[in-house]
Amino acid sequence: MTIQTGKLSDPAVRAFVNAVNAHDRDGFMALLAPGATMSDDGSDRDLDDWTDREIFSSHGHMEVDNESRGGHDLIARYSNDTWGEMRTKWHFEVDGDKITRFETGQA
């Protein structure tokens, strides 16, 4: 059962999902703290390169199925034009209203 994005607990994570689904690169980047980092399947990646390739140029989309840890951990069906749909896990580290790090990978 999908959780409506507007009902996600953490405002920064909610804005992250909204920006991904709206393909709003500027809104997405505004959510990230200076020096923010990320990893995919346990390996640190270049955030700009990864988000361009896996989200924006490939039309990424998240359907959240579950949240935990105050909304900082998600299980989502993630799809893009490159890989199709897959079940993914997401972990967010948030400082105030900015995301300092996110980690994703197959669930």
Side-chain angles (χ1 to χ4, degrees):
M1 173 153 290
T2 302
I3 299 173
Q4 293 178 347
T5 306
K7 294 187 177 188
L8 293 173
S9 299
D10 186 272
V13 174
R14 181 171 54 243
F16 179 100
V17 174
N18 280 329
V20 168
N21 290 347
H23 306 138
D24 178 4
R25 184 188 309 262
D26 292 338
F28 179 91
M29 297 308 287
L31 295 168
L32 302 177
T37 60
M38 63 87 51
S39 71
D40 183 8
D41 283 328
S43 296
D44 280 0
R45 308 287 184 182
D46 178 272
L47 191 141
D48 291 331
D49 177 62
W50 188 92
T51 56
D52 181 59
R53 187 180 65 253
E54 299 293 339
I55 297 175
F56 297 108
S57 66
S58 62
H59 307 103
H61 188 81
M62 297 175 74
E63 293 289 333
V64 178
D65 291 328
N66 187 311
E67 71 169 354
S68 58
R69 292 185 13 94
H72 291 169
D73 288 345
L74 306 178
I75 298 293
R77 284 173 284 128
Y78 186 78
S79 61
N80 67 24
D81 293 345
T82 304
W83 305 108
E85 184 176 298
M86 65 189 82
R87 185 172 164 85
T88 57
K89 59 185 175 184
W90 297 76
H91 170 73
F92 296 88
E93 295 177 16
V94 179
D95 184 8
D97 62 350
K98 299 290 186 186
I99 295 170
T100 59
R101 181 173 175 81
F102 69 92
E103 300 169 356
T104 188
Q106 293 191 48

